[in-house]
Amino acid sequence: MWKRNIMNLFHLLKPKNCRYFSCASLQTKKYYLSNINLKFSHQHVFSAKKHETKNKVIENLNKSYLNTFTYRTHTCGELRSDHVGQKVTICGWVEFVRLSKFLLVRDSYGLTQCLINDSDINISDIPLETIVMINGTVALRPKGMYNTDMATGEIEVIIDKIDILNNVDKLPFNLRNYQKPKEQLRLQYRYIDLRFPKMQNNLRQRSLILHNMRKFLVEKHNFVEVETPTLFCRTPGGAREFIVPTHHPSLFYSLVQSPQQFKQMLMVGGIDRYFQIARCYRDEATRPDRQPEFTQLDIELSFTNLDGIVDMIEQLLQDSFPRDLPNSPFKRMTYKDALENYGTDKPNLTYEMKLKNVTSLFGHLKEPNLSAFTLPYSRKLGKLSTKYKNKINDLGKKYSVKIALNDNILKLIGDDIHNQIKCINGEENDNILAIGDRENACLCLGDIRELLAPLLKSKNLLLFKNSVEPLWVVDFPLFVKGENGLESCHHPFTAPHPEDLHLLDSDPLKVRSLAYDIVLNGNEIGGGSVRIHNPELQEKILQMLNIDSSNLHHFINALKSGCPPHAGIALGIDRLIAIACKAESIRDVIAFPKSHEGKDPLSGAPNEVNDEDKKYYHIKSI
Amino acid sequence: MWKRNIMNLFHLLKPKNCRYFSCASLQTKKYYLSNINLKFSHQHVFSAKKHETKNKVIENLNKSYLNTFTYRTHTCGELRSDHVGQKVTICGWVEFVRLSKFLLVRDSYGLTQCLINDSDINISDIPLETIVMINGTVALRPKGMYNTDMATGEIEVIIDKIDILNNVDKLPFNLRNYQKPKEQLRLQYRYIDLRFPKMQNNLRQRSLILHNMRKFLVEKHNFVEVETPTLFCRTPGGAREFIVPTHHPSLFYSLVQSPQQFKQMLMVGGIDRYFQIARCYRDEATRPDRQPEFTQLDIELSFTNLDGIVDMIEQLLQDSFPRDLPNSPFKRMTYKDALENYGTDKPNLTYEMKLKNVTSLFGHLKEPNLSAFTLPYSRKLGKLSTKYKNKINDLGKKYSVKIALNDNILKLIGDDIHNQIKCINGEENDNILAIGDRENACLCLGDIRELLAPLLKSKNLLLFKNSVEPLWVVDFPLFVKGENGLESCHHPFTAPHPEDLHLLDSDPLKVRSLAYDIVLNGNEIGGGSVRIHNPELQEKILQMLNIDSSNLHHFINALKSGCPPHAGIALGIDRLIAIACKAESIRDVIAFPKSHEGKDPLSGAPNEVNDEDKKYYHIKSI
């Protein structure tokens, strides 16, 4: 049995050396295909519009560079009337078979129609997605048969020889855009899903954007890309880090959540213009839309400040981002303004609809820490459905904020203040009122803003811009109140704002930091800060955060070794590329993403490990 | 205490906003420096030759792009007589103080001499390696005082203002090339060690080589860089893989040892020209000169063969490698010839000295599987010392090979054969004879060849070329005999040589594979193969290797889903860059390497992990 199969496989291994089967011999190979499901064939009359790869990245490629180092002479997307008469070799998947005579061959670059003139060849049994190599001659299609929907629609290839390079089993789904499978199935069979033009476009676009970023940094600004370790010691005060057991009993590496310490140590070491497109790890399996490993563009500079970093990122994006951006400088907003106007630290500026602070109307509010904010929206929307009302009330509970909608506002606060609110927000608007802790009231209305905006948009009551709207958010607080005392708002290495240093002991929650975020259309796509370069200040901040600095001994020592002032930033590449590609999810711009809870639908990882391996690593599962 | 310190630190945080101290106030800041060791100053009269950064990469940079996004106006390496009269701001480390009047400031790009004209300023107490910012005016040095050893030796900067941006504690070692510390200390304080010109050069060279490789692949040949996961399931049949516990009880990721499976699945998915500069992980802590994580340039192409890959890598290296290479095609050698001529699968062709097969002289050898090889070397070397004799005998024992040196050959085999050997190898040579299993006899003499070559070189009895000598080794066996049956010589996804397929069942150890290695000067810097694209053949090979394919279910399925024939390669970037930089160890081209046993001398990683974290991951140390 095996012997026969292997003899049959012989020709598949090394085209140069192999005895290809000629067209005439194809029929004798039918047994190859006998067990293969033919369900795709002949179901639909071929329509190039439905099938062809529409791929901007590929359309812009220099075609002559696509066939180096391979035995095809052309891709399936490049033959034109100029090629008529040429002998060509094309390779790809069988996209469609028509009238037992026309074979459409597809690769990632396009579609070519091949024509069988030799009546001995039977192609009607070839399953779709079989891998073939066609040797043939380019010919003009008969007049009137040009297919203007196809880039190669002027020509066809008259087949001299067809070789089946590999067979195909029944596929779990069809490669047709109008029959797109659900995401779980796509992820399980990612190696097939990647053939969809959209995925081809996304991965190719990603590669080009990252390449352009590197060119900007290396060629235009002399940055140095340095690869830093991912197996390291735990960095206190951040996200949960994966641990990696070693063959040293009880000793573990941690997978780095970012190259933060390394990039700062590089500044100490004189690599004063550093970047890295870095793999980072965070164990946030329980958060939706997060990947346990992700990519960030990590940058750090010595002898710079906030304006230097902002300027660099704006130029970098202008240079490498494929969608239109406004001119520099991008808008800048303080954290306080973002919170009080948009109820979030990452405002989506593609639509208006701002919160209004109406606390001053409530002179009689007895609790001095209470604030009142309203969110006005077009009265034309009419009464909200119960579904929306419930969601809004749930948000009120989540943030411990008193919420009142339209009619209830009157009941809650009386005619006088209600009228003043109407006067402030305009008679054409309905209002939602939130009373509570200032931050919570704003955050709650921010969430409600994001809930109502799509509803308003769907009724043409709110204008959404189609553009990319970047925004810098600055002047974040240095600390936030955590369960066990102060926590870093950004991270423990962020410098306090020099104007607020005098408050560090007396009122630390009022101290602003030199952190900054860049936001695109409501997505935080990057953040950074001026760092603390003074070891004594760094030690004090760690102490205030109640962080045990024993794992940071080397880092403090580095600050004591002649550390230049420095600042940096990290951009979240997955999200940025998703916006560039107008993808719905970051999973659509990652070749092999995990699904929920960090599981890999493709391989089934994570998996059980045998006892021998666990013993080697001196661990036991409990 | 803290309040005072923080007020003092104020000016260090954000140069734009800060009250710099003027030169006049520097003396009042002396308490800053009081506890700082001054041991470096004034020990040596300054000699630029000894100190200056000699860095080819930096010399070739476009200087005008080094000062974007920073508040320096110039680096310490770029001021020339053209700049005389200009107001400049330079930042860097204090390299040297001379006569309380001259301050040499260093950054990664060079050295600038600064002159204090104001007698109020006392700089003699500034510790070396203090971070300063100098505002001043460029002036020509007095005639006769030009320093031709310094790139900036024509000029000096007359100081208007000096600001101490950060202080420095006593450093564990001196930044002088003539006082270079031992490697362990360098790694422990890597953030200081990186300031040495050699390390600056290596990391900058590494960044440029990788950038040029990307340009070649992306711009010249339309490759797509795809980032593949590192958290994955175990790949059977390879190196030991680190495991990563998850919050799912008993379930672990494995850290990938290479993107092998992913790149093959990308071929199935139509990303037919893939590359990635990929981080890989192997738990080989016990092997010297190995890093638990390392970088490889990983490449895969569809519709190609051995010649396509060889051609691509030769062009890639011609394009990006900074040292001279011979013209294409590079030399090619079969594994058999490499073994029988050089006693290794990675021959160093920078010197001659070949093994000779003399088995035919031993017609009377009773064991048919025994072979005899000799290694001739110049008789002028004279008698080998006991040290070398012992090493040679140890190698004989290691490989279970009978070894005889010069005089002993005669005793062992008699006059007749001895004379024939002398006749073959030339009277001018002494000989070492090895008798045993063919492979072991060759490997043993190969090790002896590498042992004696440096000795012969030191006595001018063997010519070493200074060049880079690349070599392709091909026709490796598909299998090797392992303890428990057949093992892959390359990896289980390597295609058998089509000419040997008939031997797969009958004599598997005789089957050659379509694997290839590229060797530079005795270092294997890359390897790859044509892959198996036929699922049935793949399953058969896994079965022959006794590999449980349950973890490879997805992979076999991918081969069944329309998988193009494909081939690829991976280059070991750390080793390649080390050769490019003429570095002694790969650790000299890695920013933060681990030392022996996978330990990080900088942070102390791996570390203990607290019980709470272990509980979260459902593990216990044993």
Side-chain angles (χ1 to χ4, degrees):
Chain A
M1 163 67 184
W2 258 110
K3 204 151 197 171
R4 197 194 64 184
N5 278 349
I6 284 166
M7 286 312 293
N8 291 337
L9 297 175
F10 186 112
H11 68 284
L12 302 176
L13 285 167
K14 204 188 171 190
K16 230 176 72 173
N17 293 343
C18 73
R19 294 173 276 129
Y20 292 122
F21 31 117
S22 68
C23 292
S25 73
L26 194 65
Q27 276 193 315
T28 69
K29 303 288 165 181
K30 256 195 183 173
Y31 66 88
Y32 253 101
L33 316 174
S34 57
N35 63 343
I36 293 170
N37 184 288
L38 298 173
K39 91 176 227 226
F40 298 146
S41 344
H42 306 290
Q43 285 177 344
H44 307 273
V45 176
F46 180 77
S47 151
K49 255 192 187 156
K50 279 186 184 168
H51 295 251
E52 183 149 37
T53 308
K54 281 285 172 206
N55 189 316
K56 271 193 200 163
V57 179
I58 284 171
E59 279 167 15
N60 292 329
L61 287 179
N62 183 331
K63 304 290 183 295
S64 59
Y65 296 148
L66 278 167
N67 304 307
T68 46
F69 320 127
T70 140
Y71 45 75
R72 71 180 171 219
T73 59
H74 296 80
T75 67
C76 295
E78 69 179 297
L79 294 174
R80 300 286 185 276
S81 54
D82 296 350
H83 298 92
V84 166
Q86 284 188 28
K87 292 269 178 203
V88 297
T89 302
I90 59 174
C91 299
W93 289 269
V94 173
E95 172 82 5
F96 206 76
V97 178
R98 190 157 52 96
L99 304 173
S100 302
K101 204 177 155 188
F102 295 103
L103 188 76
L104 275 128
V105 184
R106 185 198 76 231
D107 63 15
S108 302
Y109 312 95
L111 271 174
T112 299
Q113 176 168 293
C114 303
L115 175 66
I116 291 165
N117 268 345
D118 185 339
S119 60
D120 282 346
I121 307 174
N122 181 352
I123 55 163
S124 55
D125 288 343
I126 296 186
L128 302 193
E129 299 301 311
T130 299
I131 292 280
V132 295
M133 174 160 77
I134 306 280
N135 288 293
T137 310
V138 183
L140 266 191
R141 295 195 194 187
K143 269 197 179 158
M145 302 294 275
Y146 289 7
N147 185 340
T148 51
D149 289 340
M150 258 172 109
T152 62
E154 287 177 305
I155 59 91
E156 56 198 1
V157 172
I158 313 298
I159 298 178
D160 295 327
K161 190 151 77 72
I162 177 168
D163 298 290
I164 293 187
L165 299 180
N166 209 355
N167 299 307
V168 67
D169 268 15
K170 177 185 173 178
L171 298 188
F173 52 82
N174 217 326
L175 278 161
R176 300 290 180 251
N177 272 328
Y178 52 83
Q179 287 184 337
K180 228 170 177 185
K182 292 245 164 77
E183 194 186 30
Q184 185 64 19
L185 202 64
R186 288 176 52 210
L187 293 182
Q188 189 182 343
Y189 298 95
R190 189 60 148 190
Y191 43 83
I192 304 170
D193 180 54
L194 291 176
R195 294 182 203 156
F196 277 111
K198 182 70 190 156
M199 283 307 299
Q200 286 281 326
N201 187 77
N202 291 355
L203 293 190
R204 288 165 192 271
Q205 183 83 69
R206 180 177 181 126
S207 170
L208 282 182
I209 293 173
L210 293 183
H211 187 66
N212 286 336
M213 286 178 166
R214 284 191 163 99
K215 285 181 72 153
F216 174 85
L217 292 166
V218 173
E219 295 175 20
K220 294 198 184 159
H221 296 285
N222 281 324
F223 277 73
V224 180
E225 183 162 23
V226 181
E227 300 146 77
T228 58
T230 57
L231 296 172
F232 193 49
C233 70
R234 178 148 174 61
T235 299
R240 181 178 286 280
E241 290 171 342
F242 288 105
I243 57 175
V244 181
T246 67
H247 80 293
H248 303 288
S250 293
L251 298 185
F252 296 76
Y253 297 116
S254 291
L255 287 174
V256 289
Q257 57 185 291
S258 89
Q260 186 65 34
Q261 287 189 48
F262 292 112
K263 65 179 180 172
Q264 293 196 246
M265 289 192 284
L266 286 171
M267 296 303 111
V268 180
I271 303 289
D272 56 357
R273 301 165 82 77
Y274 147 88
F275 84 103
Q276 181 181 195
I277 295 182
R279 192 69 58 89
C280 305
Y281 301 84
R282 288 184 200 171
D283 188 2
E284 301 178 318
T286 49
R287 295 176 68 176
D289 209 27
R290 295 286 174 124
Q291 294 287 317
E293 55 186 315
F294 57 95
T295 304
Q296 72 185 33
L297 170 60
D298 197 53
I299 306 183
E300 198 83 11
L301 273 107
S302 290
F303 310 117
T304 192
N305 49 31
L306 185 144
D307 288 322
I309 301 290
V310 161
D311 186 18
M312 175 194 58
I313 293 296
E314 293 188 6
Q315 287 190 37
L316 173 91
L317 289 175
Q318 302 280 10
D319 199 84
S320 59
F321 196 72
R323 296 177 61 186
D324 282 341
L325 290 169
N327 290 333
S328 283
F330 296 167
K331 284 180 190 160
R332 225 183 263 196
M333 194 182 283
T334 64
Y335 170 76
K336 183 170 177 286
D337 284 349
L339 187 71
E340 297 195 351
N341 287 307
Y342 298 92
T344 174
D345 59 355
K346 37 179 195 278
N348 187 341
L349 302 186
T350 58
Y351 55 94
E352 278 293 320
M353 196 180 177
K354 285 188 190 173
L355 281 55
K356 285 266 165 67
N357 188 344
V358 292
T359 311
S360 61
L361 303 181
F362 294 80
H364 60 292
L365 277 180
K366 276 179 187 159
E367 286 267 11
N369 288 332
L370 285 188
S371 296
F373 283 81
T374 60
L375 177 70
Y377 63 93
S378 172
R379 169 158 296 170
K380 289 182 190 153
L381 186 64
K383 274 207 167 180
L384 291 172
S385 69
T386 315
K387 187 182 113 192
Y388 277 91
K389 279 187 188 164
N390 289 345
K391 279 190 182 170
I392 289 169
N393 285 327
D394 290 348
L395 285 170
K397 279 174 204 154
K398 176 182 162 192
Y399 288 104
S400 311
V401 165
K402 179 89 198 159
I403 293 284
L405 292 168
N406 306 313
D407 308 341
N408 294 330
I409 296 180
L410 185 63
K411 286 185 207 157
L412 183 73
I413 57 176
D415 214 31
D416 181 31
I417 300 183
H418 190 209
N419 281 336
Q420 288 185 59
I421 290 175
K422 282 204 268 189
C423 189
I424 290 171
N425 290 349
E427 284 289 343
E428 72 280 13
N429 286 322
D430 275 345
N431 294 292
I432 299 173
L433 174 70
I435 301 178
D437 163 80
R438 185 186 67 98
E439 192 167 291
N440 282 347
C442 291
L443 290 174
C444 182
L445 288 182
D447 283 4
I448 296 171
R449 176 178 179 265
E450 281 168 30
L451 176 72
L452 293 186
L455 182 67
L456 289 157
K457 185 192 175 194
S458 69
K459 315 239 171 197
N460 282 325
L461 297 172
L462 185 63
L463 195 69
F464 271 61
K465 293 183 209 166
N466 230 334
S467 51
V468 181
E469 296 289 329
L471 170 73
W472 289 100
V473 180
V474 297
D475 283 353
F476 284 88
L478 183 65
F479 300 110
V480 292
K481 221 182 197 158
E483 278 175 28
N484 306 308
L486 296 177
E487 286 175 8
S488 287
C489 180
H490 189 59
H491 61 49
F493 313 115
T494 301
H497 198 297
E499 289 169 14
D500 297 347
L501 271 177
H502 61 286
L503 298 169
L504 209 46
D505 286 314
S506 57
D507 198 351
L509 285 167
K510 282 235 173 96
V511 176
R512 289 165 301 161
S513 73
L514 292 179
Y516 32 82
D517 275 357
I518 179 160
V519 176
L520 285 196
N521 297 4
N523 299 289
E524 183 209 320
I525 54 133
S529 60
V530 176
R531 323 299 184 183
I532 300 170
H533 60 269
N534 182 288
E536 290 155 24
L537 179 58
Q538 182 65 74
E539 281 181 314
K540 177 176 172 69
I541 297 288
L542 290 173
Q543 214 177 332
M544 290 178 74
L545 291 164
N546 209 8
I547 288 176
D548 170 18
S549 61
S550 60
N551 268 2
L552 287 170
H553 191 66
H554 56 281
F555 183 77
I556 305 288
N557 265 348
L559 299 187
K560 290 177 180 168
S561 306
C563 171
H566 57 288
I569 194 165
L571 299 187
I573 289 300
D574 301 313
R575 178 65 58 201
L576 186 68
I577 307 282
I579 298 171
C581 295
K582 298 186 182 177
E584 278 173 29
S585 151
I586 57 167
R587 291 184 296 279
D588 283 344
V589 297
I590 297 173
F592 298 98
K594 307 279 190 296
S595 62
H596 65 288
E597 294 259 301
K599 292 208 172 155
D600 176 19
L602 179 67
S603 69
N607 307 90
E608 298 212 340
V609 158
N610 67 40
D611 288 340
E612 200 187 326
D613 280 351
K614 286 188 212 165
K615 208 171 154 192
Y616 179 84
Y617 288 118
H618 309 282
I619 58 167
K620 206 170 134 178
S621 285
I622 49 169
Chain B
M1 163 66 183
W2 259 109
K3 204 148 195 172
R4 198 195 64 183
N5 279 349
I6 286 166
M7 286 312 293
N8 291 337
L9 297 176
F10 187 115
H11 67 283
L12 302 177
L13 286 166
K14 202 188 172 187
K16 231 175 78 171
N17 293 340
C18 75
R19 295 173 276 128
Y20 294 122
F21 33 117
S22 68
C23 292
S25 72
L26 193 65
Q27 276 195 314
T28 69
K29 301 288 167 181
K30 258 197 184 170
Y31 66 89
Y32 252 101
L33 316 174
S34 56
N35 63 343
I36 294 171
N37 183 289
L38 299 173
K39 94 177 225 227
F40 298 146
S41 343
H42 306 290
Q43 283 176 345
H44 307 274
V45 176
F46 180 77
S47 152
K49 257 195 186 153
K50 280 186 184 169
H51 294 251
E52 184 151 33
T53 308
K54 281 285 173 206
N55 188 315
K56 272 193 199 163
V57 180
I58 284 171
E59 279 168 14
N60 292 329
L61 288 178
N62 183 332
K63 305 288 184 297
S64 59
Y65 295 147
L66 278 168
N67 305 305
T68 46
F69 319 128
T70 140
Y71 45 75
R72 71 179 172 220
T73 60
H74 295 79
T75 66
C76 296
E78 69 180 295
L79 295 174
R80 299 287 185 277
S81 54
D82 296 350
H83 298 92
V84 166
Q86 282 188 28
K87 292 270 177 200
V88 297
T89 303
I90 59 174
C91 300
W93 288 270
V94 173
E95 171 82 5
F96 206 76
V97 178
R98 190 158 52 95
L99 304 174
S100 301
K101 203 178 155 189
F102 294 104
L103 189 75
L104 274 129
V105 184
R106 186 198 75 233
D107 63 15
S108 302
Y109 312 96
L111 271 174
T112 299
Q113 176 168 294
C114 303
L115 175 66
I116 290 163
N117 269 345
D118 184 338
S119 60
D120 282 347
I121 308 174
N122 181 352
I123 56 164
S124 54
D125 289 342
I126 295 185
L128 302 194
E129 298 302 311
T130 299
I131 292 280
V132 295
M133 175 161 76
I134 306 281
N135 288 292
T137 310
V138 183
L140 266 190
R141 294 196 194 185
K143 270 199 179 155
M145 302 295 275
Y146 289 7
N147 185 340
T148 50
D149 290 340
M150 259 173 108
T152 62
E154 287 177 306
I155 59 92
E156 57 198 358
V157 172
I158 313 297
I159 299 177
D160 294 329
K161 191 150 76 73
I162 177 168
D163 296 290
I164 292 186
L165 298 179
N166 209 355
N167 299 308
V168 67
D169 269 15
K170 176 184 173 178
L171 298 187
F173 52 84
N174 218 326
L175 278 161
R176 299 290 180 251
N177 272 327
Y178 52 84
Q179 289 184 336
K180 229 173 176 182
K182 291 244 165 78
E183 193 186 31
Q184 185 63 19
L185 201 64
R186 288 175 52 210
L187 293 181
Q188 188 181 346
Y189 297 95
R190 189 61 148 189
Y191 43 83
I192 304 169
D193 180 53
L194 291 177
R195 292 180 205 158
F196 277 111
K198 182 70 189 156
M199 283 307 299
Q200 287 280 325
N201 187 77
N202 291 356
L203 293 189
R204 288 166 192 272
Q205 182 84 70
R206 180 179 182 125
S207 171
L208 282 182
I209 292 173
L210 294 182
H211 188 64
N212 286 337
M213 287 177 166
R214 285 189 163 100
K215 285 181 71 153
F216 174 86
L217 291 166
V218 174
E219 295 176 18
K220 294 198 184 158
H221 296 284
N222 281 324
F223 278 72
V224 180
E225 183 162 24
V226 180
E227 300 146 78
T228 59
T230 57
L231 297 171
F232 193 48
C233 69
R234 176 145 177 59
T235 299
R240 181 178 285 281
E241 290 172 342
F242 287 104
I243 57 174
V244 182
T246 68
H247 80 294
H248 304 288
S250 294
L251 298 184
F252 295 77
Y253 296 118
S254 290
L255 288 175
V256 290
Q257 57 185 291
S258 89
Q260 186 64 34
Q261 288 190 48
F262 292 112
K263 64 179 179 172
Q264 293 195 245
M265 289 192 283
L266 286 170
M267 296 304 110
V268 180
I271 302 290
D272 55 356
R273 301 166 81 77
Y274 148 89
F275 84 102
Q276 181 181 193
I277 294 182
R279 192 69 58 91
C280 305
Y281 301 83
R282 287 184 200 171
D283 189 2
E284 302 179 316
T286 50
R287 295 177 66 176
D289 208 26
R290 295 285 174 127
Q291 293 287 317
E293 55 187 314
F294 57 95
T295 304
Q296 72 184 36
L297 170 59
D298 196 51
I299 306 184
E300 198 83 9
L301 271 107
S302 290
F303 309 117
T304 193
N305 49 29
L306 185 146
D307 289 322
I309 301 291
V310 162
D311 187 19
M312 175 194 59
I313 293 297
E314 292 188 7
Q315 288 191 36
L316 172 90
L317 289 175
Q318 302 280 11
D319 199 84
S320 60
F321 196 73
R323 295 176 62 186
D324 282 340
L325 289 169
N327 290 334
S328 281
F330 295 168
K331 285 181 191 157
R332 228 184 260 195
M333 194 181 284
T334 64
Y335 171 75
K336 183 168 176 287
D337 284 348
L339 188 71
E340 297 194 352
N341 286 307
Y342 298 92
T344 173
D345 59 355
K346 36 179 198 276
N348 187 341
L349 302 186
T350 58
Y351 56 95
E352 279 293 322
M353 195 180 178
K354 285 187 190 173
L355 281 55
K356 285 265 165 67
N357 188 344
V358 293
T359 311
S360 61
L361 303 182
F362 293 80
H364 62 291
L365 277 180
K366 277 178 188 159
E367 286 267 11
N369 288 331
L370 285 189
S371 296
F373 283 79
T374 60
L375 178 71
Y377 63 93
S378 172
R379 170 158 295 171
K380 290 184 189 152
L381 187 64
K383 274 207 168 180
L384 292 172
S385 68
T386 315
K387 188 181 115 194
Y388 276 91
K389 280 185 187 166
N390 288 345
K391 279 187 184 170
I392 289 169
N393 286 327
D394 289 349
L395 285 169
K397 280 176 204 151
K398 178 181 160 193
Y399 288 105
S400 310
V401 165
K402 179 88 198 160
I403 293 283
L405 291 168
N406 307 313
D407 307 341
N408 293 329
I409 296 181
L410 184 63
K411 285 184 209 158
L412 185 72
I413 57 175
D415 213 30
D416 180 31
I417 301 183
H418 191 209
N419 280 336
Q420 289 185 58
I421 291 175
K422 280 204 268 187
C423 190
I424 291 170
N425 289 350
E427 283 290 344
E428 72 280 16
N429 285 323
D430 276 342
N431 295 292
I432 299 172
L433 172 70
I435 301 178
D437 165 79
R438 186 186 68 98
E439 192 167 293
N440 282 349
C442 292
L443 290 174
C444 182
L445 287 182
D447 282 4
I448 295 171
R449 176 179 180 265
E450 280 169 30
L451 177 71
L452 293 187
L455 183 66
L456 288 157
K457 186 192 175 195
S458 71
K459 315 240 170 193
N460 282 324
L461 298 172
L462 185 64
L463 195 69
F464 271 60
K465 295 184 209 165
N466 230 334
S467 52
V468 181
E469 296 291 330
L471 170 73
W472 289 100
V473 181
V474 297
D475 283 353
F476 282 89
L478 183 64
F479 299 111
V480 292
K481 220 181 198 162
E483 278 174 29
N484 305 308
L486 295 176
E487 287 176 7
S488 287
C489 179
H490 189 59
H491 61 49
F493 313 116
T494 301
H497 198 297
E499 290 168 14
D500 297 346
L501 271 176
H502 61 287
L503 298 170
L504 209 48
D505 286 315
S506 55
D507 198 351
L509 286 168
K510 281 233 174 97
V511 177
R512 289 165 301 160
S513 72
L514 292 179
Y516 32 81
D517 276 357
I518 180 162
V519 176
L520 284 194
N521 297 4
N523 299 289
E524 182 208 320
I525 56 132
S529 59
V530 176
R531 323 299 184 184
I532 300 170
H533 60 268
N534 182 288
E536 290 156 24
L537 180 58
Q538 181 66 74
E539 281 180 316
K540 176 175 174 67
I541 297 288
L542 290 173
Q543 215 178 330
M544 289 178 75
L545 291 166
N546 209 7
I547 287 176
D548 169 19
S549 61
S550 60
N551 267 2
L552 287 170
H553 191 65
H554 56 281
F555 184 75
I556 304 289
N557 265 348
L559 299 187
K560 291 176 180 170
S561 306
C563 171
H566 57 289
I569 194 166
L571 299 187
I573 289 300
D574 300 314
R575 177 67 57 200
L576 186 68
I577 307 280
I579 298 171
C581 295
K582 299 186 182 178
E584 279 173 29
S585 152
I586 57 167
R587 291 184 297 278
D588 281 345
V589 297
I590 298 173
F592 298 99
K594 307 279 191 294
S595 61
H596 65 289
E597 295 260 298
K599 292 209 171 152
D600 176 18
L602 178 68
S603 69
N607 307 90
E608 299 211 341
V609 157
N610 66 39
D611 288 340
E612 201 185 326
D613 281 351
K614 286 189 214 166
K615 208 172 155 191
Y616 179 84
Y617 288 118
H618 309 281
I619 57 167
K620 207 170 130 178
S621 285
I622 49 169

